Amino acid sequence: MTEIIADQTTPILQGPTDKEKKYDRQLRLWASNGQRALEDSHVLLVNTGSGSVGIETLKNLVLPGIGKFTIADTNIVAEEDLGVNFFIDEEGLGKSRAEVCMKLLQELNPDVKGDWFPKQKTDSMTNLFQSEEMFTLIICALPIEAETLKLVKVYCHKFQVPLVSIHSAGFYSYFRIHLHGNFPIVDTHPDSTATTDLRLLTPWPELSGFAASLTESIENLDAHQHGHIPYLVLLLHYLKEWKQCHGEYPSTYNDKKAFRDTVTAGARTVTPEGGEENFDEAVAAVLKTVSPTTLSSAVKEVFDYEPTEVELKSDFWIIVDAVKKFYAKHGELPLPGSVPDMKAQSSVYVELQTIYKSKAKQDATEILETVRGQEGGNNIDAAEVDTFCKNAAFIKLIHGAGGSSKCIRSIAEEQFQADRDAEVMMTPLSLFPIYLALASTSYVASATSSEILATIEETVPGASSQERVVQVVEEVARARGGELHNISALTGGMASQEIIKIITKQYIPMDNTCVFDGIKSSTQIFRI
Amino acid sequence: MSQLVMVENINLGGVGGRPKSRWTYLDNIRRSAGPFCDPDAEFGDESIAMFDSFKVLVIGAGGLGCEILKNLALSGFKNIHVIDMDTIDVSNLNRQFLFRASDVGKGKAEVAAKFVMNRVQGVKITPHNCKIQDKDDDFYMQFTLIVCGLDSIEARRWINSTLVDLVDPENPESLKPLIDGGTEGFKGQSRVVLPTMTSCLECQLDMHAPRAAVPLCTLATIPRQPEHCIEWAHIIAWEKEHPFPKLDNDDPEHIKWLTEKALARAKEFNISGVTYSLTQGVVKNIIPAIASTNAVIAASCCNEAFKIATSTNPALGMEENYMMYSGNDSIYTYTFKHEKKDDCPVCGNVARTLPVDPNLTLQEFIETLAARPEAQLKKPSIRTEEKSLYFQSPASLELKTRRNLKLKMGKLVENGEEIGITDPSLGQVSFRFKLKFSKVFVKVAMVEEKTKGEEAK
């Protein structure tokens, strides 16, 4: 199930504004802060080739309402554009493709500004990057002239602007995200089932006191009371008994199974339903909740990372440092503070919620104090620290790309090996040959299969002896550089989704190359 | 800037000497075989003429439907029909890109068809502003294949069972490939069904289990979540107070009333989190929807439709037939073969075993049918080989069978007996189930005895 987020900015009883009505279905995914980030963005598309995949990507950004987009494209609309690009009409024939596409895209959402380039024949790409307006992100459709790509890369590097390059030809496509430096995400939106953190093995005094008060004379409670003890209180009760008897909490799988039986035995069976729902919930929760909280590998990676001087000044790393200190001191991350729904009396449940919330608040306050004591920490918003604490167990760091041909060669060897084992292992064939073949036509509109193979050989010697590589290359050559609209629409869908994640800094972006095979209908991700 | 203009590149000029045309890129693929193509497939004028004669039906002109119509038109399909009974709402505009603010209130099928025909010349799109259930077998028989972009499981099951029923082994034309797409937030799936030959949508029903409902007693006595307060306002307070003649989920005044009621209840129990937006979400059962996921899933469906219609490459179907897509944590797809089920109530040939507690009344049994992932039958009429157990309609039969609702299953059927269930919203099909008692039937209970006695009279 997708997590639903209530929009925080709307006063409770007031109906939605017109904008909230229009964007309702997406605000439930990235809330008003995500929407604001989109509205503040300016995306540039450098369009070339048969020209559809970049436009399809933009379409899915204009609809949810980015602030502005610019299309740079030196092509003039030709007959074959009409057969692949939906945002071109008959009247556009002979006109600037950038202008025609911009107008027809802009029509989708009056809240979005559109611009195009070049307006004069004398305008060169260099002019585009000299304008005062900054781009938030650049999309580059391939194939492209090497010189143009270089200009784009220089700009992106200089201003640390994310670059997404996309190539779609025939039934194949890939797109690659180039992030500069490290890209930390706090609001990763983990599945709601993964976020339960009840600290049953390390209850704090308020929690154990409250639990004890409910289970003090558990045997003598009437049927209603007994059947409404919240499962987490039941677990705390039986854990205490277990510890008194065994000297320690159940830790092995067998221990936990035995512990589960103890809980089961505690349920009253002479009831109209033949059991008690709260005990059923407790039994079901044992394996998941009766374990010490450990750091995920993603969080460990963040903790182990040594930020650069520049990074150290950012809010994210200042808060990370404070959280690390907190962890060193307490052996636990700050408590997120939410309690899953469970069978309970309303007042008891609300009381439990309050106990967890105030502990979470206490942890967040301690971290905020550490933050305040650090250089640059005074300017950090308390709400930002709160959000960080709530998501501390799920923060994630995406590393910027760093590619070299040696790296491509080693991936290729590893993937060729995997393909040799594929039949025995019953795994699907690697899509890396598709990347190799498309990447070999990054700078040429179209090439024959032998030309493509020769280019691949330069990077991956011996690749042309792989039968699958040869087949994939033939398939790429078959398209003669032309796009199939379906493949471009699909690729544009995935690319725009990733761009939204990068701009909103929510959810987890793909890292860093996604290849699509329209014959097998499958994707594969490579870090190149 | 880049001058990679293929138009001007003579080497890349018309394929096979023909002049560059609108369909140049499509023809690159349609007129030449690739290394993965079926060796028997043909790529020439004849096969293209055949393709041009195909008629395709698109079901749904919403988030997926708009994309599907665009994609099919640009895949070269010439004759498309689209069916949708809905009108355009302002909350559609963030993704249903064939509609503008000025179209709000108009029929989706018509506006969508007009827009695409206007943009892509040479394609004919016929809109049908009605329910799929309003069309008969002859209507569905005219199409080569059917692409679905629906948000309702019920409608999917109806078209699925209708297409399975349509298959006549003597007539290969009667087998209509069904390509279905669905999305929710960043997730979705696309699948290809060759009715009677491969796993059908009913075989895959348990992949889409219904959301568990909150027990009524929680709403009535021990609410804990803002959603509980909203459901209370929606189900209990509304029924009691009837502030407006009929609840309209789209009327802000109605949602506001529910929000106020829910807020008051939340306050009473110290529960926080009730908002207008949440209320609307709960009451309308809103599923988040965005342009990007729709683009992915719709294009995947149309890519399969194109491959099936042109043989330009192998399509999903006989082997892999299901692609799962998930985009919230990186990008993940899983493409696999969903196996056909022998005991599928629609396309299988044996009755499906259904465990049942014989101590339940028929009424209670009927209620469980709605929630079971493998059944999901909301308005079932039930019969055994000998007798009618319960019929929703006609009224005379309903009246006659109503008394059975109070009787225990163990009294009405034998252990292992087969029953047939029909549900008009799901088409003609009769779902065959073999009942297997999950518990011992307690024949004589003191209280029961009395009731039974009364009914016997």
Side-chain angles (χ1 to χ4, degrees):
Chain A
M1 194 184 127
T2 315
E3 195 188 346
I4 309 268
I5 305 153
D7 195 347
Q8 302 297 321
T9 54
T10 318
I12 288 169
L13 253 181
Q14 200 177 315
T17 62
D18 286 348
K19 202 165 93 182
E20 284 164 342
K21 274 188 211 157
K22 181 165 91 175
Y23 293 139
D24 181 81
R25 299 303 185 269
Q26 67 200 43
L27 287 170
R28 289 169 195 276
L29 288 173
W30 53 69
S32 55
N33 56 340
Q35 189 63 30
R36 231 175 355 256
L38 285 179
E39 286 167 14
D40 289 340
S41 66
H42 181 179
V43 175
L44 168 70
L45 165 67
V46 180
N47 204 15
T48 60
S50 51
S52 181
V53 68
I55 299 296
E56 287 296 309
T57 310
L58 273 187
K59 168 186 129 267
N60 305 321
L61 297 172
V62 171
L63 284 165
I66 50 168
K68 185 176 173 182
F69 69 97
T70 299
I71 302 174
D73 188 343
T74 52
N75 287 282
I76 301 300
V77 174
E79 185 73 22
E80 62 266 37
D81 283 316
L82 292 164
V84 75
N85 193 331
F86 194 73
F87 296 93
I88 281 177
D89 57 5
E90 308 276 332
E91 283 168 32
L93 277 170
K95 293 185 188 161
S96 150
R97 196 165 74 178
E99 183 185 8
V100 174
C101 290
M102 186 283 283
K103 286 192 173 145
L104 293 182
L105 277 177
Q106 210 266 326
E107 195 186 286
L108 302 181
N109 191 343
D111 295 338
V112 178
K113 288 199 209 98
D115 201 357
W116 55 286
F117 185 91
K119 294 205 177 75
Q120 259 104 47
K121 279 200 174 139
T122 47
D123 282 339
S124 78
M125 274 303 261
T126 329
N127 300 127
L128 175 67
F129 291 117
Q130 277 163 354
S131 81
E132 294 203 347
E133 223 172 330
M134 291 295 301
F135 302 114
T136 318
L137 182 143
I138 298 180
I139 305 165
C140 224
L142 301 174
I144 192 172
E145 272 201 345
E147 236 170 87
T148 312
L149 185 61
K150 202 172 155 198
L151 271 176
V152 173
K153 282 190 167 166
V154 166
Y155 178 90
C156 289
H157 184 75
K158 186 169 168 197
F159 298 106
Q160 304 278 294
V161 171
L163 170 65
V164 176
S165 46
I166 314 184
H167 197 163
S168 167
F171 284 97
Y172 294 147
S173 73
Y174 82 89
F175 72 100
R176 181 167 178 202
I177 303 173
H178 311 246
L179 294 169
H180 298 273
N182 291 299
F183 190 85
I185 313 150
V186 175
D187 202 354
T188 50
H189 293 266
D191 263 1
S192 56
T193 48
T195 53
T196 308
D197 180 3
L198 298 176
R199 306 285 164 93
L200 296 178
L201 301 182
T202 51
W204 57 100
E206 290 81 6
L207 178 61
S208 21
F210 181 70
S213 75
L214 289 179
T215 48
E216 218 164 16
S217 44
I218 191 164
E219 307 301 328
N220 305 323
L221 295 176
D222 68 29
H224 183 80
Q225 287 170 325
H226 197 264
H228 283 79
I229 303 172
Y231 83 71
L232 84 85
V233 172
L234 288 175
L235 289 179
L236 284 168
H237 170 76
Y238 289 107
L239 279 170
K240 204 165 93 184
E241 285 192 346
W242 179 280
K243 199 177 176 186
Q244 275 162 4
C245 183
H246 296 82
E248 56 186 4
Y249 286 130
S251 58
T252 64
Y253 179 69
N254 281 336
D255 275 358
K256 286 183 196 172
K257 268 195 343 198
F259 174 69
R260 202 164 54 179
D261 294 340
T262 319
V263 179
T264 310
R268 295 181 187 170
T269 49
V270 194
T271 62
E273 298 83 30
E276 287 177 304
E277 212 182 313
N278 55 336
F279 276 84
D280 293 343
E281 288 179 350
V283 168
V286 166
L287 291 180
K288 246 190 91 187
T289 56
V290 180
S291 344
T293 42
T294 50
L295 289 189
S296 73
S297 57
V299 175
K300 262 191 211 130
E301 209 186 316
V302 174
F303 278 10
D304 292 343
Y305 178 76
E306 285 178 27
T308 62
E309 291 277 316
V310 183
E311 284 173 336
L312 265 176
K313 291 182 185 134
S314 72
D315 291 4
F316 179 83
W317 290 108
I318 293 173
I319 304 175
V320 165
D321 195 55
V323 172
K324 256 166 90 172
K325 285 180 178 143
F326 182 95
Y327 186 79
K329 187 171 161 196
H330 301 283
E332 274 173 333
L333 289 171
L335 185 74
S338 58
V339 182
D341 191 35
M342 57 188 71
K343 189 164 188 194
Q345 296 282 17
S346 307
S347 58
V348 171
Y349 180 78
V350 170
E351 179 85 42
L352 265 179
Q353 267 186 325
T354 312
I355 290 170
Y356 274 83
K357 267 188 208 154
S358 29
K359 173 73 164 73
K361 187 76 218 157
Q362 195 186 321
D363 288 359
T365 309
E366 188 181 329
I367 286 167
L368 182 65
E369 275 167 22
T370 318
V371 166
R372 290 278 183 260
Q374 263 148 316
E375 202 190 322
N378 268 324
N379 303 322
I380 296 176
D381 197 7
E384 199 182 335
V385 175
D386 274 349
T387 310
F388 196 108
C389 291
K390 278 198 184 74
N391 291 292
F394 299 95
I395 50 172
K396 173 111 183 161
L397 189 62
I398 306 276
H399 296 286
S404 67
S405 61
K406 194 179 161 219
C407 191
I408 287 183
R409 195 186 297 183
S410 63
I411 297 175
E413 274 156 18
E414 177 193 300
Q415 295 294 316
F416 294 157
Q417 185 55 49
D419 273 3
R420 280 189 283 273
D421 304 335
E423 209 168 331
V424 185
M425 305 290 285
M426 311 249 295
T427 50
L429 290 172
S430 170
L431 305 190
F432 201 66
I434 297 176
Y435 173 78
L436 289 175
L438 288 177
S440 299
T441 54
S442 290
Y443 307 114
V444 287
S446 170
T448 63
S449 50
S450 48
E451 283 164 356
I452 299 173
L453 274 178
T455 314
I456 295 177
E457 277 290 325
E458 287 169 22
T459 330
V460 185
S464 54
S465 64
Q466 303 281 330
E467 193 199 345
R468 185 159 153 78
V469 173
V470 176
Q471 285 179 320
V472 166
V473 163
E474 276 172 26
E475 184 66 35
V476 167
R478 178 188 183 198
R480 299 173 186 236
E483 291 171 71
L484 285 178
H485 184 80
N486 292 326
I487 305 302
S488 292
L490 195 151
T491 312
M494 296 195 292
S496 57
Q497 164 190 290
E498 295 309 305
I499 292 170
I500 288 169
K501 291 187 209 166
I502 291 167
I503 294 176
T504 60
K505 297 202 168 67
Q506 293 187 38
Y507 299 92
I508 303 174
M510 183 272 297
D511 181 22
N512 57 20
T513 304
C514 174
V515 181
F516 178 69
D517 176 355
I519 301 172
K520 299 297 277 179
S521 193
S522 62
T523 57
Q524 194 175 354
I525 310 294
F526 300 98
R527 206 180 126 68
I528 298 172
Chain B
M1 204 198 133
S2 157
Q3 283 300 325
L4 292 164
V5 190
M6 276 169 269
V7 204
E8 288 160 10
N9 188 331
I10 292 161
N11 292 331
L12 292 161
V15 181
R18 282 186 323 280
K20 277 277 186 180
S21 80
R22 180 159 307 195
W23 303 112
T24 299
Y25 301 134
L26 214 50
D27 283 344
N28 289 347
I29 299 294
R30 289 196 298 184
R31 291 184 180 274
S32 64
F36 302 104
C37 290
D38 179 343
D40 296 335
E42 295 196 23
F43 300 92
D45 289 339
E46 219 170 294
S47 59
I48 290 180
M50 165 109 122
F51 172 74
D52 286 347
S53 72
F54 288 159
K55 236 193 252 184
V56 183
L57 175 65
V58 177
I59 300 182
L64 285 166
C66 284
E67 292 278 349
I68 291 169
L69 287 171
K70 165 190 70 113
N71 296 344
L72 292 179
L74 289 179
S75 297
F77 286 98
K78 296 272 176 287
N79 195 344
I80 303 170
H81 285 237
V82 57
I83 184 164
D84 196 315
M85 59 179 285
D86 271 351
T87 52
I88 298 159
D89 180 76
V90 66
S91 65
N92 300 150
L93 301 179
N94 81 327
R95 59 196 188 284
Q96 301 178 17
F97 64 95
L98 303 176
F99 311 142
R100 303 289 170 263
S102 57
D103 295 322
V104 169
K106 295 182 193 163
K108 284 186 176 179
E110 204 159 316
V111 176
K114 216 165 143 188
F115 193 105
V116 176
M117 273 204 286
N118 198 22
R119 183 64 56 85
V120 184
Q121 288 192 5
V123 61
K124 187 177 158 225
I125 306 182
T126 313
H128 301 271
N129 188 357
C130 63
K131 291 162 101 171
I132 50 172
Q133 291 87 348
D134 295 343
K135 298 289 186 186
D136 59 13
D137 285 358
D138 288 343
F139 174 80
Y140 292 107
M141 201 63 188
Q142 64 182 309
F143 300 103
T144 310
L145 53 89
I146 290 153
V147 187
C148 272
L150 287 160
D151 56 5
S152 140
I153 291 187
E154 210 168 77
R156 277 195 184 94
R157 292 172 75 183
W158 188 90
I159 188 68
N160 177 64
S161 73
T162 301
L163 293 180
V164 170
D165 261 12
L166 211 57
V167 177
D168 169 4
E170 305 291 304
N171 174 13
E173 300 269 291
S174 66
L175 193 147
K176 316 284 180 194
L178 168 65
I179 305 165
D180 175 75
T183 70
E184 176 171 350
F186 286 102
K187 295 174 184 172
Q189 78 280 332
S190 62
R191 38 195 176 160
V192 175
V193 175
L194 306 174
T196 68
M197 292 174 73
T198 64
S199 162
C200 77
L201 300 189
E202 197 73 29
C203 296
Q204 300 167 16
L205 190 64
D206 53 5
M207 305 276 292
H208 304 269
R211 229 162 262 179
V214 182
L216 214 56
C217 64
T218 299
L219 303 183
T221 58
I222 46 166
R224 300 174 296 268
Q225 304 294 338
E227 289 86 351
H228 298 163
C229 301
I230 294 165
E231 283 291 10
W232 175 85
H234 181 198
I235 298 169
I236 299 170
W238 184 282
E239 280 306 310
K240 210 168 121 195
E241 299 183 35
H242 270 290
F244 302 93
K246 195 177 177 292
L247 177 61
D248 176 0
N249 287 341
D250 292 316
D251 188 331
E253 283 306 307
H254 296 192
I255 299 291
K256 219 163 165 176
W257 187 90
L258 291 173
T259 311
E260 270 170 48
K261 279 285 155 190
L263 265 176
R265 182 151 178 95
K267 202 173 165 202
E268 186 187 331
F269 288 93
N270 278 317
I271 297 166
S272 58
V274 173
T275 61
Y276 182 95
S277 166
L278 184 68
T279 306
Q280 197 193 23
V282 171
V283 172
K284 289 182 73 171
N285 189 19
I286 292 179
I287 292 164
I290 43 175
S292 47
T293 317
N294 283 332
V296 172
I297 296 302
S300 157
C301 291
C302 295
N303 180 40
E304 297 311 321
F306 177 73
K307 288 187 291 181
I308 290 173
T310 58
S311 304
T312 43
N313 256 322
L316 296 185
M318 290 308 289
E319 292 304 318
E320 283 91 11
N321 54 13
Y322 197 120
M323 180 182 85
M324 219 171 75
Y325 175 84
S326 170
N328 42 345
D329 182 351
S330 185
I331 290 175
Y332 174 76
T333 56
Y334 178 53
T335 308
F336 65 100
K337 180 179 186 178
H338 192 285
E339 297 285 347
K340 192 171 185 297
K341 288 181 178 159
D342 285 342
D343 65 352
C344 169
V346 170
C347 74
N349 43 23
V350 292
R352 172 170 295 179
T353 303
L354 193 70
V356 57
D357 177 355
N359 302 299
L360 293 181
T361 63
L362 178 60
Q363 172 86 52
E364 287 164 334
F365 170 70
I366 287 175
E367 281 160 15
T368 67
L369 284 176
R372 287 180 188 229
E374 76 276 30
Q376 299 182 44
L377 297 157
K378 287 180 190 134
K379 280 197 144 189
S381 293
I382 307 179
R383 53 169 301 127
T384 66
E385 284 191 17
E386 279 96 42
K387 56 184 187 267
S388 301
L389 295 183
Y390 182 67
F391 268 74
Q392 305 269 355
S393 63
S396 58
L397 207 51
E398 198 279 334
L399 194 68
K400 234 175 165 172
T401 50
R402 190 186 295 169
R403 37 179 277 165
N404 286 341
L405 288 175
K406 289 187 197 147
L407 301 183
K408 302 258 167 174
M409 289 303 286
K411 183 164 178 282
L412 290 165
V413 293
E414 297 293 324
N415 192 4
E417 195 171 344
E418 203 177 304
I419 57 166
I421 306 182
T422 52
D423 188 329
S425 68
L426 304 176
Q428 305 285 323
V429 64
S430 172
F431 294 78
R432 288 164 65 201
F433 288 108
K434 189 177 174 183
L435 297 178
K436 188 177 160 224
F437 289 175
S438 57
K439 288 186 180 162
V440 178
F441 179 38
V442 188
K443 275 185 185 145
V444 189
M446 278 183 296
V447 191
E448 291 301 320
E449 201 57 2
K450 204 175 147 197
T451 336
K452 248 164 119 188
E454 276 168 12
E455 270 156 5
K457 277 174 204 165

